[in-house]
Amino acid sequence: MDIGSSPEEMRFREECREWLHANVPAEKRPLDAADAIDFDKAWQRRLFDAGWAGINWPTDYGGRGLSIVQQVIWLEEYAKAHAPWIGANFVGINHGGPTLILNASEEQKAYHLPRILKGEAIWCQGFSEPGAGSDLAGIKTRGRIEGDELVVNGSKIWTSFAHVADWQELVLRTEEGSLRHKGLSWVICDIHAPGITVRPIRKMSGLTEFAEVFYDDVRIPLANVVGGLGNGWKVAMSTLSFERGTGFIADQVKQSQEIEELIAKARANGMIKDDRIADQLAQMRAEVAAVRAMTYRNISEVVRTGQPGPEASVIRLFTSELGQRLERMAVLLMGEDIIDFAYGSDDAVGDYLRGFAATIAGGTAQIQRDIIGERLLGLPKSR
């Protein structure tokens, strides 16, 4: 696929650049989720008011109704402009909203999608559980049907932004006795509902970005089920495809910038003369180009089918592991400056520490390899 080469796309790219040049905040986004929530909401509202939120979302729900290619152009220019990470809006914008567009009822779309785009509603993801981790089919949190409600009991863990969220994309077991991927439902959960306890988890970086969530007889209207009772596995697969595919385009653009900055830094401090470092930098530059090519291929698939396929797991795995290699190299190139390290004073060290989560969040590296083996290569199931 040739991204951004038509006259219309070139004009759109220039429009993106001009707006970003004039509007990217000068102040840095706070690192901790609780400290950053006002910043995240204000920046998302600014994007919405200017027409830059939901570029390929339907116009009926506040988007611009443009193409996925124009969405990619926007994300590329966004990263090049060093615009701030959308932070707490990540789940709603990158996979919660797209999942609703693909699977939800008109009433669900009309209520939630505009609020996500405006930054008025923060979403979190309720997939991972203690004892199940990234094994979505191992979910034990249950929803018992009583009248027109689900009564939910169980717990989730590693829930990013749960302590600042308003809504949750919650996957739970709604058929008694069901096993693995059968009998699951994808539900819109009000995170402020009675019976929900959110306990933030502090990471080794000192920051609090995710949490444990406990459900004690939480009542959720059946009207909040997306895609129908028992169809949660199918809906969740679309969520994960968005999360693992188009949701990380900005990260890949950032990686393109990072490798060039690392090469420039190695030249400046003389470490490029070390053949091992030069070889590693060259290898990573080639890998960055490879993952961009895979992403463009995946976008072609989205244009054809309307959603990413299991190939998104290749991109997710490759991007996360490449990111960790880039972050290790950035710390290595700090040389003796690492001795004076104080967290928060150097982005390289903070990125290195945060990078350990990259091959766990959104499905571990092993889960991605299982998907690649089973669904793309046709290998036997690992379990």
Side-chain angles (χ1 to χ4, degrees):
M1 168 174 266
D2 195 7
I3 297 285
S5 61
S6 74
E8 180 187 7
E9 290 165 352
M10 292 174 71
R11 284 194 297 274
F12 180 75
R13 187 183 292 279
E14 189 59 33
E15 184 186 353
C16 296
R17 285 177 183 163
E18 289 177 2
W19 189 86
L20 287 163
H21 178 73
N23 288 279
V24 168
E27 67 273 25
K28 290 188 68 173
R29 177 184 179 272
L31 291 174
D32 194 88
D35 297 334
I37 189 64
D38 290 340
F39 180 98
D40 292 345
K41 287 184 174 181
W43 175 236
Q44 184 62 31
R45 182 70 199 208
R46 194 167 171 182
L47 292 171
F48 176 82
D49 288 342
W52 296 108
I55 286 169
N56 67 327
W57 287 28
T59 55
D60 288 348
Y61 312 117
R64 288 180 62 169
L66 301 179
S67 69
I68 183 68
V69 172
Q70 287 165 307
Q71 175 71 55
V72 171
I73 291 171
W74 162 255
L75 291 173
E76 289 180 341
E77 294 305 318
Y78 189 93
K80 289 177 185 174
H82 298 284
W85 183 46
I86 60 172
N89 294 292
F90 181 88
V91 170
I93 293 293
N94 283 315
H95 51 86
T99 300
L100 295 180
I101 292 170
L102 191 65
N103 300 283
S105 67
E106 284 305 313
E107 291 77 11
Q108 291 166 339
K109 293 178 189 178
Y111 183 82
H112 289 286
L113 293 177
R115 287 168 173 78
I116 292 173
L117 284 185
K118 294 175 184 175
E120 294 174 351
I122 301 299
W123 279 59
C124 63
Q125 188 176 27
F127 282 25
S128 296
E129 293 192 357
S134 297
D135 180 14
L136 193 60
I139 278 178
K140 294 182 179 177
T141 296
R142 296 182 177 279
R144 183 181 71 255
I145 298 175
E146 282 191 9
D148 58 358
E149 294 179 320
L150 286 170
V151 181
V152 179
N153 286 280
S155 65
K156 300 287 179 177
I157 196 167
W158 314 124
T159 308
S160 300
F161 302 111
H163 56 306
V164 295
D166 303 293
W167 297 93
Q168 183 180 51
E169 45 184 31
L170 174 63
V171 175
L172 69 168
R173 196 164 293 284
T174 52
E175 290 182 17
E176 188 68 27
S178 61
L179 297 173
R180 303 300 293 167
H181 61 280
K182 306 288 187 183
L184 299 173
S185 295
W186 197 107
V187 177
I188 301 169
C189 174
D190 179 354
I191 202 73
H192 305 300
I196 291 182
T197 302
V198 178
R199 186 182 300 163
I201 300 172
R202 188 170 297 280
K203 302 189 292 186
M204 69 176 177
S205 63
L207 302 176
T208 302
E209 199 166 80
F210 41 63
E212 296 174 280
V213 183
F214 301 90
Y215 311 83
D216 183 11
D217 285 337
V218 177
R219 292 186 172 271
I220 301 176
L222 282 173
N224 285 18
V225 175
V226 173
L229 275 170
N231 292 324
W233 181 261
K234 178 184 175 185
V235 180
M237 289 303 101
S238 67
T239 305
L240 295 177
S241 293
F242 287 119
E243 181 185 19
R244 294 166 181 170
T246 52
F248 284 90
I249 291 173
D251 286 355
Q252 293 156 18
V253 176
K254 183 183 174 189
Q255 288 179 346
S256 299
Q257 296 167 331
E258 285 177 351
I259 186 61
E260 299 308 321
E261 291 168 1
L262 291 176
I263 291 171
K265 186 170 185 176
R267 285 175 173 152
N269 66 14
M271 295 178 78
I272 196 76
K273 295 175 183 176
D274 185 323
D275 288 343
R276 292 171 300 176
I277 289 178
D279 287 347
Q280 289 180 44
L281 288 169
Q283 177 68 27
M284 286 190 284
R285 179 187 262 173
E287 291 175 356
V288 165
V291 77
R292 293 294 301 281
M294 286 190 287
T295 299
Y296 283 178
R297 183 189 180 283
N298 193 53
I299 292 166
S300 296
E301 185 70 8
V302 174
V303 170
R304 189 176 67 82
T305 66
Q307 72 176 91
E311 296 84 359
S313 285
V314 179
I315 296 171
R316 173 70 179 124
L317 177 63
F318 203 96
T319 301
S320 59
E321 293 190 343
L322 173 59
Q324 289 178 337
R325 290 194 290 276
L326 285 166
E327 288 145 10
R328 279 198 298 273
M329 177 59 73
V331 171
L332 177 64
L333 294 181
M334 288 178 67
E336 295 178 354
D337 290 344
I338 192 70
I339 297 173
D340 295 326
F341 154 70
Y343 180 72
S345 63
D346 192 289
D347 287 344
V349 177
D351 288 345
Y352 173 73
L353 293 176
R354 286 190 290 273
F356 283 96
T359 48
I360 300 173
T364 65
Q366 186 57 52
I367 289 289
Q368 308 302 338
R369 287 189 167 87
D370 284 351
I371 293 171
I372 294 166
E374 294 168 13
R375 300 184 200 169
L376 293 179
L377 303 178
L379 299 176
K381 290 184 179 296
S382 62
R383 71 209 127 106

